[in-house]
Coordinates of all heavy atoms in Angstrom, one line a residue:
M1 N 26.5 17.6 -114.8 CA 27.2 16.7 -113.9 C 26.2 16.2 -112.8 O 25.8 17.1 -112.1 CB 28.4 17.4 -113.3 CG 29.3 16.2 -112.7 SD 30.8 17.0 -111.9 CE 30.1 17.6 -110.4
S2 N 26.0 15.0 -112.7 CA 25.3 14.6 -111.5 C 26.1 14.2 -110.3 O 27.3 13.7 -110.5 CB 24.3 13.3 -112.0 OG 25.3 12.2 -112.3
A3 N 25.5 14.4 -109.1 CA 26.3 14.2 -107.9 C 26.3 12.8 -107.6 O 25.5 12.0 -107.9 CB 25.6 15.0 -106.8
D4 N 27.5 12.4 -106.9 CA 27.7 11.1 -106.4 C 27.2 10.9 -105.1 O 27.8 11.4 -104.1 CB 29.2 10.9 -106.6 CG 29.6 9.4 -106.3 OD1 28.7 8.6 -106.5 OD2 30.8 9.2 -105.9
F5 N 26.1 10.2 -104.9 CA 25.4 10.0 -103.6 C 25.9 8.7 -103.1 O 25.9 7.6 -103.6 CB 24.0 10.0 -103.6 CG 23.3 11.5 -103.7 CD1 23.3 12.0 -105.0 CD2 22.8 12.0 -102.7 CE1 22.8 13.3 -105.1 CE2 22.3 13.2 -102.7 CZ 22.2 13.9 -103.9
K6 N 26.3 8.8 -101.7 CA 26.7 7.5 -101.0 C 25.4 7.1 -100.2 O 24.8 8.0 -99.6 CB 27.8 7.8 -100.1 CG 28.4 6.6 -99.3 CD 29.7 7.0 -98.8 CE 30.2 5.9 -97.8 NZ 29.9 4.6 -97.9
R7 N 25.3 5.8 -100.1 CA 24.0 5.4 -99.3 C 24.2 4.8 -98.0 O 25.2 4.1 -97.8 CB 23.4 4.2 -100.2 CG 22.0 3.6 -99.6 CD 21.5 2.6 -100.6 NE 21.2 3.1 -101.8 CZ 19.9 3.6 -102.2 NH1 18.9 3.5 -101.2 NH2 19.7 3.9 -103.3
Y8 N 23.6 5.2 -97.1 CA 23.6 4.9 -95.7 C 22.3 4.2 -95.3 O 21.2 4.9 -95.2 CB 23.9 6.0 -94.7 CG 25.1 6.7 -94.9 CD1 25.3 7.7 -95.8 CD2 26.4 6.3 -94.4 CE1 26.5 8.4 -96.2 CE2 27.5 6.8 -94.5 CZ 27.6 8.0 -95.5 OH 28.9 8.5 -95.8
A9 N 22.3 2.7 -95.3 CA 21.2 2.1 -95.3 C 20.7 1.9 -93.9 O 21.3 1.6 -93.0 CB 21.3 0.7 -95.9
G10 N 19.2 1.9 -93.8 CA 18.6 1.6 -92.4 C 17.4 0.6 -92.8 O 17.3 0.3 -93.8
K11 N 16.8 0.3 -91.7 CA 15.7 -0.8 -91.9 C 14.5 -0.2 -92.6 O 13.8 -0.8 -93.3 CB 15.4 -1.2 -90.5 CG 16.3 -2.2 -89.7 CD 15.7 -2.8 -88.5 CE 16.7 -3.8 -87.8 NZ 17.8 -2.8 -87.1
E12 N 14.2 1.0 -92.1 CA 13.0 1.6 -92.8 C 13.2 2.8 -93.6 O 12.4 3.2 -94.4 CB 12.1 2.3 -91.6 CG 11.6 1.2 -90.6 CD 10.6 1.8 -89.5 OE1 10.2 2.9 -89.9 OE2 10.5 1.1 -88.4
I13 N 14.5 3.3 -93.6 CA 14.8 4.4 -94.5 C 16.4 4.4 -94.9 O 17.1 4.0 -94.0 CB 14.6 5.8 -93.7 CG1 14.6 6.9 -94.7 CG2 15.3 5.9 -92.5 CD1 14.0 8.2 -94.1
D14 N 16.6 4.7 -96.1 CA 18.0 4.9 -96.4 C 18.3 6.4 -96.6 O 17.3 7.2 -97.1 CB 18.4 4.2 -97.8 CG 18.4 2.7 -97.8 OD1 18.3 2.2 -96.7 OD2 18.5 2.1 -98.9
V15 N 19.5 6.8 -96.1 CA 19.9 8.2 -96.2 C 20.9 8.2 -97.3 O 21.8 7.4 -97.3 CB 20.3 8.7 -95.0 CG1 20.9 10.1 -95.1 CG2 19.3 8.8 -93.8
L16 N 20.8 9.2 -98.2 CA 21.8 9.4 -99.3 C 22.5 10.7 -99.2 O 21.7 11.7 -98.9 CB 21.2 9.2 -100.6 CG 20.7 7.8 -101.0 CD1 19.2 7.8 -100.7 CD2 20.8 7.3 -102.3
F17 N 23.8 10.7 -99.4 CA 24.6 12.0 -99.1 C 25.6 12.1 -100.2 O 26.4 11.2 -100.7 CB 25.3 11.9 -97.7 CG 26.3 13.0 -97.5 CD1 25.8 14.3 -97.3 CD2 27.5 12.8 -97.4 CE1 26.6 15.3 -97.0 CE2 28.4 13.9 -97.1 CZ 27.8 15.2 -96.9
A18 N 25.6 13.4 -100.7 CA 26.6 13.7 -101.7 C 27.4 14.9 -101.2 O 27.1 16.0 -101.1 CB 25.9 14.3 -102.9
A19 N 28.7 14.5 -100.7 CA 29.6 15.4 -100.1 C 29.8 16.7 -100.9 O 30.0 17.7 -100.4 CB 30.8 14.6 -99.8
E20 N 29.8 16.5 -102.2 CA 30.3 17.6 -103.1 C 29.2 18.7 -103.1 O 29.4 19.8 -103.4 CB 30.6 17.1 -104.6 CG 29.3 16.6 -105.1 CD 29.5 15.6 -106.3 OE1 29.8 14.4 -105.8 OE2 29.4 16.0 -107.5
L21 N 28.0 18.4 -102.6 CA 26.9 19.3 -102.6 C 26.8 20.0 -101.3 O 26.1 21.0 -101.1 CB 25.5 18.7 -103.0 CG 25.5 18.1 -104.4 CD1 24.0 17.5 -104.6 CD2 25.9 19.1 -105.4
C22 N 27.4 19.4 -100.2 CA 27.1 19.8 -98.8 C 27.5 21.4 -98.7 O 28.8 21.8 -99.0 CB 27.8 19.0 -97.9 SG 27.7 19.5 -96.2
A23 N 26.6 22.2 -98.1 CA 27.0 23.6 -97.9 C 27.4 23.8 -96.4 O 27.6 24.9 -96.0 CB 25.8 24.4 -98.1
H24 N 27.6 22.7 -95.7 CA 28.1 22.8 -94.2 C 27.3 23.6 -93.3 O 27.9 24.4 -92.5 CB 29.6 23.1 -94.2 CG 30.4 22.3 -95.0 ND1 30.7 20.9 -94.7 CD2 30.9 22.3 -96.4 CE1 31.5 20.3 -95.7 NE2 31.5 21.1 -96.7
S25 N 26.0 23.7 -93.6 CA 25.1 24.5 -92.7 C 25.0 24.0 -91.3 O 24.6 24.8 -90.4 CB 23.7 24.5 -93.4 OG 23.2 23.3 -93.2
G26 N 25.3 22.8 -91.1 CA 25.1 22.1 -89.9 C 23.7 21.7 -89.4 O 23.5 21.2 -88.4
T27 N 22.8 21.9 -90.3 CA 21.4 21.6 -90.0 C 21.1 20.1 -89.6 O 20.5 19.8 -88.6 CB 20.6 21.9 -91.3 OG1 20.6 23.2 -91.7 CG2 18.9 21.7 -91.0
C28 N 21.9 19.2 -90.2 CA 21.8 17.8 -90.0 C 22.3 17.5 -88.6 O 21.7 17.0 -87.7 CB 22.3 17.0 -91.1 SG 24.0 17.4 -91.5
V29 N 23.5 17.9 -88.4 CA 24.3 17.4 -87.0 C 23.6 18.2 -85.8 O 23.5 17.5 -84.8 CB 25.8 17.8 -87.2 CG1 26.3 16.8 -88.2 CG2 26.0 19.1 -87.5
R30 N 23.1 19.4 -86.0 CA 22.3 20.0 -84.8 C 21.0 19.4 -84.7 O 20.5 19.4 -83.6 CB 22.3 21.5 -85.2 CG 23.4 22.3 -84.8 CD 23.1 23.7 -84.7 NE 22.5 24.3 -85.8 CZ 23.1 24.7 -86.9 NH1 24.5 24.8 -86.9 NH2 22.4 25.2 -88.0
G31 N 20.3 19.1 -85.7 CA 18.9 18.6 -85.8 C 18.7 17.2 -85.2 O 17.9 17.0 -84.3
L32 N 19.7 16.4 -85.6 CA 19.6 15.0 -85.2 C 21.0 14.4 -85.0 O 21.5 13.6 -85.8 CB 18.9 14.0 -86.3 CG 17.3 14.3 -86.5 CD1 16.9 13.3 -87.6 CD2 16.5 14.1 -85.3
P33 N 21.7 14.8 -83.9 CA 22.9 14.4 -83.7 C 23.2 13.0 -83.4 O 24.4 12.5 -83.6 CB 23.2 15.2 -82.2 CG 22.0 15.5 -81.6 CD 21.0 15.6 -82.8
R34 N 22.2 12.2 -83.1 CA 22.4 10.8 -83.1 C 22.5 10.1 -84.5 O 23.0 9.1 -84.5 CB 21.3 10.1 -82.1 CG 21.4 10.4 -80.7 CD 20.5 9.5 -79.9 NE 19.1 9.7 -80.3 CZ 18.1 9.1 -79.6 NH1 18.4 8.4 -78.7 NH2 16.8 9.2 -80.1
V35 N 21.9 10.7 -85.4 CA 21.9 10.1 -86.8 C 23.2 10.7 -87.5 O 23.9 9.9 -88.1 CB 20.7 10.5 -87.5 CG1 20.7 10.0 -88.9 CG2 19.4 10.0 -86.9
F36 N 23.5 12.0 -87.3 CA 24.5 12.6 -88.1 C 25.5 13.1 -87.2 O 25.4 13.9 -86.4 CB 24.0 13.8 -88.9 CG 22.8 13.6 -89.8 CD1 21.5 13.7 -89.5 CD2 23.1 13.1 -91.1 CE1 20.4 13.4 -90.4 CE2 22.0 12.7 -92.0 CZ 20.7 12.9 -91.6
D37 N 26.6 12.5 -87.3 CA 28.0 12.8 -86.4 C 29.1 12.6 -87.2 O 29.7 11.6 -87.6 CB 27.9 11.8 -85.2 CG 29.0 12.1 -84.2 OD1 29.8 12.9 -84.5 OD2 29.0 11.4 -83.2
V38 N 29.8 13.8 -87.4 CA 30.8 13.8 -88.4 C 32.2 13.2 -87.7 O 33.0 12.9 -88.5 CB 31.1 15.2 -88.9 CG1 30.0 15.7 -89.9 CG2 31.3 16.2 -87.8
R39 N 32.0 13.1 -86.4 CA 33.2 12.4 -85.8 C 33.2 10.9 -85.8 O 34.2 10.2 -85.3 CB 33.5 12.9 -84.4 CG 33.6 14.3 -84.2 CD 33.4 15.0 -82.9 NE 32.0 14.7 -82.6 CZ 31.4 15.1 -81.5 NH1 32.1 15.7 -80.6 NH2 30.1 14.8 -81.2
R40 N 32.1 10.3 -86.2 CA 31.9 8.8 -86.2 C 32.0 8.3 -87.6 O 31.6 9.0 -88.7 CB 30.6 8.6 -85.7 CG 30.2 7.1 -85.5 CD 28.8 7.1 -85.1 NE 27.9 7.6 -86.1 CZ 26.7 8.1 -85.7 NH1 26.2 8.2 -84.6 NH2 26.0 8.8 -86.9
R41 N 32.3 7.0 -87.9 CA 32.3 6.4 -89.2 C 31.4 5.2 -88.9 O 31.9 4.4 -88.0 CB 33.7 6.1 -89.6 CG 34.5 7.2 -90.0 CD 33.9 7.9 -91.3 NE 34.6 9.2 -91.7 CZ 34.3 10.4 -91.3 NH1 33.3 10.6 -90.3 NH2 35.0 11.4 -91.7
P42 N 30.5 4.9 -89.7 CA 30.0 5.8 -90.6 C 29.3 7.0 -90.0 O 28.8 6.9 -88.8 CB 28.8 5.0 -91.4 CG 28.4 4.0 -90.4 CD 29.5 3.7 -89.5
W43 N 29.3 8.2 -90.6 CA 28.8 9.4 -89.9 C 27.3 9.5 -90.0 O 26.8 10.4 -89.2 CB 29.5 10.6 -90.6 CG 28.8 11.2 -91.9 CD1 29.0 10.6 -93.1 CD2 28.0 12.2 -92.0 NE1 28.3 11.4 -94.0 CE2 27.6 12.4 -93.3 CE3 27.4 13.2 -91.0 CZ2 26.8 13.5 -93.8 CZ3 26.5 14.1 -91.5 CH2 26.3 14.3 -92.9
V44 N 26.7 8.7 -90.8 CA 25.2 8.6 -90.8 C 24.6 7.3 -90.2 O 25.1 6.2 -90.8 CB 24.7 8.9 -92.2 CG1 23.1 8.8 -92.2 CG2 25.2 10.3 -92.7
L45 N 23.8 7.2 -89.3 CA 23.2 5.9 -88.8 C 21.7 6.2 -89.0 O 21.0 6.7 -88.2 CB 23.5 5.7 -87.2 CG 25.0 5.4 -87.0 CD1 25.0 5.2 -85.4 CD2 25.4 4.1 -87.6
A46 N 21.2 5.5 -90.1 CA 19.8 5.7 -90.5 C 18.8 5.0 -89.5 O 17.6 5.2 -89.7 CB 19.7 5.2 -91.9
D47 N 19.3 4.2 -88.5 CA 18.3 3.5 -87.7 C 18.3 4.3 -86.2 O 17.7 3.8 -85.4 CB 18.6 2.0 -87.4 CG 18.3 1.3 -88.6 OD1 17.4 1.7 -89.3 OD2 19.0 0.3 -88.9
A48 N 19.0 5.4 -86.1 CA 19.2 6.1 -84.9 C 18.1 6.8 -84.3 O 18.0 7.3 -83.2 CB 20.6 6.8 -84.8
E49 N 17.1 7.2 -85.4 CA 16.0 7.9 -85.0 C 14.8 7.3 -85.8 O 15.2 6.6 -86.8 CB 16.1 9.5 -85.3 CG 17.1 10.2 -84.5 CD 16.4 10.7 -83.2 OE1 15.3 10.4 -82.9 OE2 17.2 11.4 -82.5
S50 N 13.6 7.8 -85.6 CA 12.4 7.2 -86.5 C 12.6 7.6 -88.0 O 13.3 8.7 -88.2 CB 11.2 7.6 -86.0 OG 11.0 9.0 -86.2
A51 N 12.2 6.9 -88.8 CA 12.1 7.3 -90.2 C 11.5 8.5 -90.5 O 11.9 9.4 -91.4 CB 11.5 6.1 -91.2
E52 N 10.4 8.9 -89.7 CA 9.6 10.2 -89.9 C 10.5 11.2 -89.6 O 10.6 12.3 -90.3 CB 8.5 10.1 -89.0 CG 7.4 9.4 -89.3 CD 6.8 9.7 -90.6 OE1 6.7 10.9 -90.9 OE2 6.4 8.9 -91.3
R53 N 11.3 11.2 -88.4 CA 12.2 12.3 -88.1 C 13.3 12.5 -89.1 O 13.7 13.7 -89.3 CB 12.7 12.1 -86.6 CG 11.6 12.1 -85.6 CD 12.0 12.1 -84.2 NE 12.8 13.5 -83.8 CZ 13.4 13.8 -82.8 NH1 13.5 12.9 -81.8 NH2 13.8 14.9 -82.5
I54 N 13.8 11.4 -89.4 CA 14.9 11.6 -90.5 C 14.4 12.2 -91.8 O 15.2 13.1 -92.3 CB 15.7 10.2 -90.7 CG1 16.4 9.7 -89.4 CG2 16.6 10.3 -91.9 CD1 16.9 8.3 -89.5
A55 N 13.2 11.8 -92.2 CA 12.7 12.3 -93.5 C 12.5 13.9 -93.4 O 12.8 14.6 -94.2 CB 11.4 11.6 -93.9
E56 N 12.0 14.3 -92.0 CA 11.7 15.7 -91.9 C 12.9 16.4 -91.9 O 13.1 17.5 -92.4 CB 11.0 15.9 -90.6 CG 9.5 15.4 -90.6 CD 9.0 15.6 -89.3 OE1 9.6 16.0 -88.3 OE2 7.8 14.9 -89.0
L57 N 13.9 15.9 -91.4 CA 15.3 16.6 -91.3 C 15.9 16.7 -92.6 O 16.4 17.8 -93.2 CB 16.2 15.8 -90.3 CG 17.6 16.5 -90.0 CD1 18.6 16.2 -91.1 CD2 17.6 17.9 -89.5
V58 N 15.8 15.6 -93.5 CA 16.4 15.6 -94.7 C 15.8 16.6 -95.6 O 16.6 17.3 -96.4 CB 16.3 14.2 -95.3 CG1 16.8 14.2 -96.7 CG2 17.4 13.3 -94.6
D59 N 14.6 16.8 -95.4 CA 13.7 17.9 -96.3 C 14.2 19.3 -95.9 O 14.0 20.2 -96.6 CB 12.3 17.7 -95.9 CG 11.7 16.5 -96.6 OD1 12.3 16.0 -97.6 OD2 10.6 16.1 -96.2
R60 N 14.9 19.5 -94.7 CA 15.4 20.8 -94.4 C 16.9 21.1 -94.8 O 17.4 22.2 -94.5 CB 15.3 21.0 -92.8 CG 13.7 21.2 -92.5 CD 13.7 21.7 -91.0 NE 13.8 20.6 -90.0 CZ 14.8 20.7 -89.2 NH1 15.6 21.7 -89.0 NH2 14.9 19.7 -88.1
C61 N 17.5 20.0 -95.3 CA 19.0 20.3 -95.8 C 18.8 21.3 -97.0 O 18.2 21.1 -97.9 CB 19.5 18.9 -96.4 SG 21.0 19.2 -97.1
P62 N 19.5 22.4 -96.8 CA 19.5 23.6 -97.6 C 20.1 23.4 -99.0 O 19.8 24.1 -100.0 CB 20.1 24.7 -96.9 CG 21.0 24.0 -96.0 CD 20.5 22.7 -95.6
S63 N 21.0 22.4 -99.1 CA 21.8 22.2 -100.4 C 21.3 21.2 -101.3 O 21.9 21.1 -102.4 CB 23.3 22.0 -99.9 OG 23.3 20.7 -99.4
G64 N 20.6 20.2 -100.8 CA 20.3 19.1 -101.7 C 21.3 18.0 -101.6 O 21.2 17.0 -102.3
A65 N 22.2 18.0 -100.6 CA 23.3 17.1 -100.4 C 22.6 15.8 -99.8 O 23.2 14.8 -99.8 CB 24.3 17.5 -99.5
L66 N 21.5 15.9 -99.0 CA 20.8 14.8 -98.5 C 19.6 14.4 -99.1 O 18.8 15.3 -99.5 CB 20.5 15.1 -96.9 CG 21.7 15.2 -96.0 CD1 21.2 15.6 -94.6 CD2 22.5 13.9 -95.9
R67 N 19.3 13.1 -99.2 CA 18.1 12.6 -99.8 C 17.8 11.4 -98.9 O 18.6 10.9 -98.2 CB 18.3 12.1 -101.3 CG 18.6 13.2 -102.3 CD 18.7 12.6 -103.6 NE 19.1 13.5 -104.6 CZ 19.4 13.2 -105.8 NH1 19.3 11.8 -106.3 NH2 19.7 14.1 -106.8
Y68 N 16.6 10.8 -99.1 CA 16.2 9.7 -98.4 C 15.3 8.8 -99.3 O 14.6 9.4 -100.3 CB 15.5 10.1 -97.1 CG 14.2 10.6 -97.2 CD1 13.0 9.9 -97.4 CD2 14.1 12.1 -97.1 CE1 11.7 10.5 -97.7 CE2 12.8 12.7 -97.2 CZ 11.7 11.9 -97.4 OH 10.5 12.6 -97.6
E69 N 15.3 7.5 -99.1 CA 14.3 6.6 -99.7 C 13.6 5.8 -98.7 O 14.3 5.1 -97.8 CB 15.1 5.7 -100.6 CG 15.6 6.4 -101.9 CD 16.3 5.4 -102.8 OE1 16.5 4.2 -102.5 OE2 17.1 6.0 -103.7
R70 N 12.4 5.9 -98.6 CA 11.5 5.2 -97.5 C 11.5 3.7 -98.1 O 11.4 3.4 -99.2 CB 10.2 5.7 -97.4 CG 10.3 7.2 -96.7 CD 10.7 7.2 -95.2 NE 9.8 6.4 -94.3 CZ 8.9 7.3 -93.7 NH1 8.9 8.5 -93.7 NH2 8.1 6.6 -92.9
K71 N 11.4 2.8 -97.1 CA 11.2 1.4 -97.5 C 9.9 0.9 -97.1 O 9.3 1.3 -96.1 CB 12.3 0.5 -96.9 CG 13.6 0.9 -97.4 CD 14.8 0.0 -96.6 CE 16.1 0.4 -97.0 NZ 17.2 -0.4 -96.4
E72 N 9.4 -0.1 -97.8 CA 8.1 -0.8 -97.4 C 8.3 -1.5 -96.1 O 9.3 -2.5 -96.2 CB 7.5 -1.6 -98.5 CG 7.2 -0.8 -99.8 CD 5.9 0.1 -99.5 OE1 5.0 -0.4 -98.8 OE2 5.9 1.2 -100.1
V73 N 7.7 -1.4 -95.1 CA 7.8 -2.1 -93.9 C 6.5 -2.9 -93.5 O 5.4 -2.2 -93.5 CB 8.3 -1.3 -92.7 CG1 8.5 -2.1 -91.4 CG2 9.5 -0.5 -93.0
E74 N 6.6 -4.1 -93.4 CA 5.2 -4.8 -93.2 C 5.0 -4.9 -91.6 O 5.8 -4.8 -90.9 CB 5.5 -6.2 -93.6 CG 5.8 -6.3 -95.1 CD 5.9 -7.7 -95.7 OE1 5.5 -8.7 -95.1 OE2 6.4 -7.9 -96.7
Ligands
SF4_101 S1 22.1 19.7 -93.6 FE1 22.7 19.2 -95.8 S2 24.1 21.0 -96.3 FE2 23.8 21.2 -94.1 S3 25.5 20.0 -93.3 FE3 24.0 18.6 -93.5 S4 24.3 17.5 -95.4 FE4 25.4 19.6 -95.5

């Protein structure tokens, strides 16, 4: 069964999240609270930090619930 990822689009990076895979470690909300805030809708703002920092954080998600896609920026 493949997970259902929801896309949160930004200018330089899109963040994708599959709630069913999330292990609720809190790594994302503690690491980049301006990007990941579960009290806000949408809870992910892909432009709230640099694409570099978001990519680094997503790579630390322990469950695979977060992914990212970088965009070509001219
Ligand atoms: S870092 Fe990944 S597993 Fe942890 S709360 Fe965020 S999305 Fe869920």
Side-chain angles (χ1 to χ4, degrees):
M1 189 185 79
S2 62
D4 186 18
F5 280 82
K6 183 168 167 37
R7 181 178 298 265
Y8 297 88
K11 290 189 181 72
E12 296 182 24
I13 192 168
D14 287 358
V15 175
L16 296 97
F17 173 66
E20 68 209 76
L21 299 180
C22 178
H24 306 287
S25 67
T27 304
C28 52
V29 293
R30 278 198 307 274
L32 292 180
R34 291 195 298 188
V35 176
F36 301 97
D37 183 348
V38 295
R39 294 164 301 185
R40 184 188 58 212
R41 291 292 177 270
W43 84 279
V44 182
L45 291 180
D47 288 330
E49 294 275 1
S50 72
E52 285 300 322
R53 294 191 71 185
I54 291 173
E56 285 171 15
L57 186 286
V58 167
D59 284 339
R60 290 195 279 122
C61 170
S63 70
L66 288 175
R67 295 182 186 169
Y68 64 84
E69 291 178 7
R70 297 290 292 261
K71 298 177 177 180
E72 296 291 327
V73 179
E74 299 185 12

